[in-house]
């Protein structure tokens, strides 16, 4: 890591700060000693200019629309790899050999069952509970069932917990769906690949054999790849912050699920589909574009814009292609939602407001149309995002634990409240 320095002048004080360069991407100014030398904090709500850690896992170039996982472009991973291969890459840093892949697939496959008592945990929820609420509860509860992999100081236990999370999320997500629709749970089958197993656990019923459609399971697998990791986004930062206190991995992932649920983040796929449904027809698009541009209207085009991408989200391009593949395979010709989505995208990409603010479709814009076509209700969309993102969360969590610079995360503040004052008896208020 090459080091230069920056000099900061505050009044008559000046302090030299180290400037660190990474492999690629922006340099960072190390402000760790700033408060000690200047008695001042930096101020960056939303962390638009703040790097929280060093990482080797994912690199994003927002201006160029580039996304690399351990150096490999997302387009190549989505085209040539499968989700468990990407999981191995994110966890271990290299693409697996054939033998390593076979062993990894076997280990994940043989962790897909959940403790039988977990099924009783589900029955405590109302049937109409949002599946994300169920996932927050059930994933957090895993630490009560798998206490033998919660010692974060033990690398072996960390890896067992990592495999358990990757393996069990599809089973829990499918159980959340089955409970939501009032159908019996379906156990995983070890002779199916990851995505096929998930689709079968969701859509098989005891009354007949479920035959996996290879085109749909390949699309599902690719959707998982597209959602696997994304640098220090809000939910990943939540997992890292929770993990910095020494919390067990299941609790940290539950915290990540809770954060992902927000409509500004992973909840945008559900919100985007609801928005397309509300728009309904192409002739109503101008009304919604006008609302999105109106400062007095809180409405935003869901699935548009991104904190980092000021160009087209590379995942959205692949997602759009997958949407056409799935709709084609299912014989869905004129999907009104797709028609609205494509016309909305065309208009927005030529509109001055969106061009000036560099607002492009993000991964959530097309994913909802695809997931709906696959048979999922909108309430399950963010659950699928959480399922796929679990590997990113757990890889980043492991990296954080192994980082020698790692300390408990504890930001400071700019206090704008009342200066010290004395208590007033109620008779004097
Ligand atoms: C994900 O971080 C990640 O990597 C996240 C993610 C991942 O994989 O983990 O990529 C997944 O969360 C994708 C984003 C999904 N969210 C949405 O699609 C919700 C709609 N988008 C916005 O809420 C917004 O674009 C964010 C939250 C995504 C980004 O917000 P920022 O970076 O804080 O930008 P901002 O809110 O400051 O907006 C900048 C300007 C504002 O106008 P001004 O105040 O400067 O005049 O752009 C406007 C905003 O009003 N704007 C939009 C808009 N998004 C931003 N206007 C209309 N519609 C939108 N969607």
């Amino acid at each position: 890591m090459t080091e230069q320095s920056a000099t900061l002048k505050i009044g008559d004080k000046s302090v030299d700060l180290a400037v660190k360069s990474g492999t690629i991407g922006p340099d960072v100014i190390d402000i760790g000693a700033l408060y000690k030398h200047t008695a001042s904090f930096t101020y960056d709500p939303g962390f638009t200019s703040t790097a929280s850690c060093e990482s080797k896992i994912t690199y994003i170039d927002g201006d160029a629309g580039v996304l690399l996982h351990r150096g490999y472009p997302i387009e190549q991973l989505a085209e040539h790899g499968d989700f468990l291969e990407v999981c191995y890459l994110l966890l271990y840093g290299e693409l697996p050999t054939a033998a390593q892949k076979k062993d990894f697939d076997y280990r994940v496959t043989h962790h897909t069952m959940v403790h039988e008592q977990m099924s009783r945990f589900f029955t405590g929820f109302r049937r109409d509970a949002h599946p994300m609420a169920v996932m927050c509860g059930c994933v957090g509860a895993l630490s009560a069932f798998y206490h033998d992999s919660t010692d974060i100081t033990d690398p072996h236990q960390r890896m067992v917990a990592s495999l358990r999370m990757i393996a069990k999320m599809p089973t829990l997500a499918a159980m959340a769906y089955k409970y939501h629709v009032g159908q019996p749970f379906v156990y995983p089958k070890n002779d199916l690949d990851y995505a096929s197993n998930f689709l079968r656990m969701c859509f098989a019923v005891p009354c007949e054999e479920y035959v996996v459609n290879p085109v749909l399971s390949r699309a599902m697998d690719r959707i998982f790849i597209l959602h696997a990791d994304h640098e220090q986004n809000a939910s990943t930062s939540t997992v890292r912050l929770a993990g910095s206190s020494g919390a067990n991995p299941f609790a940290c992932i539950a915290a990540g699920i809770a954060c992902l649920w927000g409509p500004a983040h992973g909840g945008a796929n559900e919100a985007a589909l609801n928005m397309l449904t509300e728009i309904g027809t192409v002739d109503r698009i101008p009304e919604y574009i006008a609302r999105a541009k109106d400062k007095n209207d809180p409405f935003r085009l869901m699935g548009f814009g991104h904190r980092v991408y000021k160009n087209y989200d590379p995942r959205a391009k692949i997602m759009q292609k997958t949407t056409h593949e799935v709709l084609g395979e299912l014989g869905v010709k004129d999907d009104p939602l797709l028609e609205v989505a494509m016309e909305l995208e065309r208009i927005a990409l030529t509109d001055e407001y969106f061009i000036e603010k560099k607002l492009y479709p993000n991964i959530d814009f097309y994913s909802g149309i695809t997931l709906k076509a696959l048979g999922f209700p909108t309430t399950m969309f963010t659950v699928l995002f959480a399922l796929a993102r679990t590997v990113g969360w757990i890889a980043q969590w492991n990296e954080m634990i192994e980082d020698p610079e790692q300390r408990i995360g504890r930001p400071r503040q700019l206090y704008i409240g009342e200066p010290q004052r004395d208590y007033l008896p109620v008779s004097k208020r």
Side-chain angles (χ1 to χ4, degrees):
M1 212 75 76
T2 55
E3 296 235 351
Q4 310 149 50
S5 82
T7 302
L8 181 67
K9 285 185 178 306
I10 304 181
D12 57 355
K13 289 194 195 106
S14 76
V15 59
D16 288 333
L17 300 168
V19 175
K20 298 166 101 173
S21 301
T23 322
I24 44 179
D27 290 346
V28 296
I29 301 168
D30 185 339
I31 56 165
L34 183 72
Y35 180 61
K36 189 168 68 177
H37 293 306
T38 67
S40 296
F41 301 134
T42 58
Y43 182 68
D44 184 17
F47 308 122
T48 49
S49 304
T50 294
S52 61
C53 62
E54 287 183 352
S55 181
K56 300 175 181 174
I57 298 173
T58 290
Y59 174 73
I60 303 172
D61 180 333
D63 294 326
V66 167
L67 169 57
L68 308 177
H69 289 319
R70 302 285 190 178
Y72 295 98
I74 189 65
E75 295 84 353
Q76 295 179 26
L77 293 172
E79 184 68 31
H80 304 299
D82 68 32
F83 180 64
L84 285 188
E85 183 177 62
V86 173
C87 288
Y88 185 99
L89 175 66
L90 291 171
L91 283 174
Y92 296 107
E94 295 297 337
L95 288 168
T97 61
Q100 288 167 334
K101 177 70 165 58
K102 188 165 181 282
D103 169 64
F104 186 73
D105 286 6
Y106 180 89
R107 286 189 290 151
V108 171
T109 299
H110 290 80
H111 274 291
T112 48
M113 285 181 72
V114 294
H115 192 293
E116 192 58 18
Q117 279 187 227
M118 278 301 289
S119 54
R120 281 193 236 147
F121 201 89
F122 280 80
T123 53
F125 291 100
R126 287 171 42 144
R127 287 280 181 181
D128 61 354
H130 194 293
M132 279 298 277
V134 174
M135 291 300 286
C136 288
C138 290
V139 172
L142 285 176
S143 52
F145 290 90
Y146 298 104
H147 203 71
D148 61 342
S149 59
T150 53
D151 176 357
I152 63 161
T153 62
D154 176 352
H156 173 70
Q157 288 199 30
R158 288 206 303 274
M159 199 36 76
V160 169
S162 303
L163 288 177
R164 278 174 163 161
M165 279 308 328
I166 293 165
K168 296 180 194 305
M169 278 298 276
T171 309
L172 290 172
M175 290 170 79
Y177 171 62
K178 283 304 203 187
Y179 188 74
H180 194 53
V181 296
Q183 290 182 358
F185 297 140
V186 175
Y187 287 94
K189 267 174 80 8
N190 291 351
D191 60 352
L192 293 176
D193 65 67
Y194 192 86
S196 304
N197 213 354
F198 175 63
L199 289 175
R200 182 179 169 279
M201 287 191 284
C202 288
F203 299 121
V205 288
C207 335
E208 59 189 28
E209 267 314 298
Y210 177 80
V211 180
V212 177
N213 177 324
V215 173
L216 302 188
S217 64
R218 176 69 190 128
M220 187 80 263
D221 191 86
R222 191 182 305 135
I223 291 170
F224 290 157
I225 293 173
L226 296 178
H227 289 81
D229 189 53
H230 212 238
E231 201 215 61
Q232 305 311 319
N233 59 83
S235 53
T236 299
S237 300
T238 300
V239 171
R240 279 180 170 262
L241 195 56
S244 74
S245 76
N248 74 69
F250 305 107
C252 295
I253 298 300
I257 293 172
C259 176
L260 186 75
W261 195 0
H265 190 14
N269 54 17
E270 177 178 354
L273 196 94
N274 292 337
M275 175 192 74
L276 293 172
T277 308
E278 185 187 328
I279 294 173
T281 51
V282 166
D283 61 315
R284 296 187 66 203
I285 290 175
E287 171 197 337
Y288 284 83
I289 294 267
R291 284 188 57 195
K293 292 155 67 170
D294 178 357
K295 294 301 308 153
N296 302 315
D297 188 331
F299 173 78
R300 287 193 164 183
L301 280 188
M302 302 316 282
F304 264 80
H306 199 277
R307 170 61 57 76
V308 178
Y309 288 125
K310 301 308 171 191
N311 197 324
Y312 213 105
D313 181 337
R315 303 168 299 175
K317 282 201 182 95
I318 304 165
M319 195 70 245
Q320 188 188 46
K321 179 170 162 273
T322 305
T323 302
H324 288 293
E325 272 174 23
V326 167
L327 295 182
E329 173 65 17
L330 294 171
V332 177
K333 291 275 177 286
D334 311 318
D335 182 325
L337 291 177
L338 181 62
E339 195 187 346
V340 170
M342 294 184 73
E343 180 59 8
L344 178 59
E345 178 188 0
R346 188 191 66 74
I347 295 173
L349 294 184
T350 55
D351 182 289
E352 199 38 51
Y353 174 91
F354 293 90
I355 293 169
E356 185 254 325
K357 293 185 187 298
K358 298 184 178 180
L359 302 175
Y360 290 86
N362 58 50
I363 188 164
D364 294 309
F365 187 63
Y366 283 104
S367 57
I369 297 169
T370 316
L371 297 176
K372 179 174 179 289
L374 286 171
F376 294 103
T378 50
T379 49
M380 277 294 291
F381 291 2
T382 311
V383 172
L384 301 185
F385 194 148
L387 187 168
R389 185 52 59 87
T390 294
V391 62
W393 289 332
I394 212 80
Q396 300 266 356
W397 172 79
N398 275 298
E399 185 177 65
M400 182 267 303
I401 300 273
E402 290 157 11
D403 182 346
E405 286 199 315
Q406 166 49 37
R407 306 168 69 191
I408 188 168
R410 206 282 187 213
R412 301 303 303 273
Q413 63 179 14
L414 174 66
Y415 178 70
I416 55 171
E418 294 291 338
Q420 184 166 333
R421 52 184 172 165
D422 295 329
Y423 181 83
L424 271 184
V426 69
S427 57
K428 294 196 170 169
R429 292 173 202 161

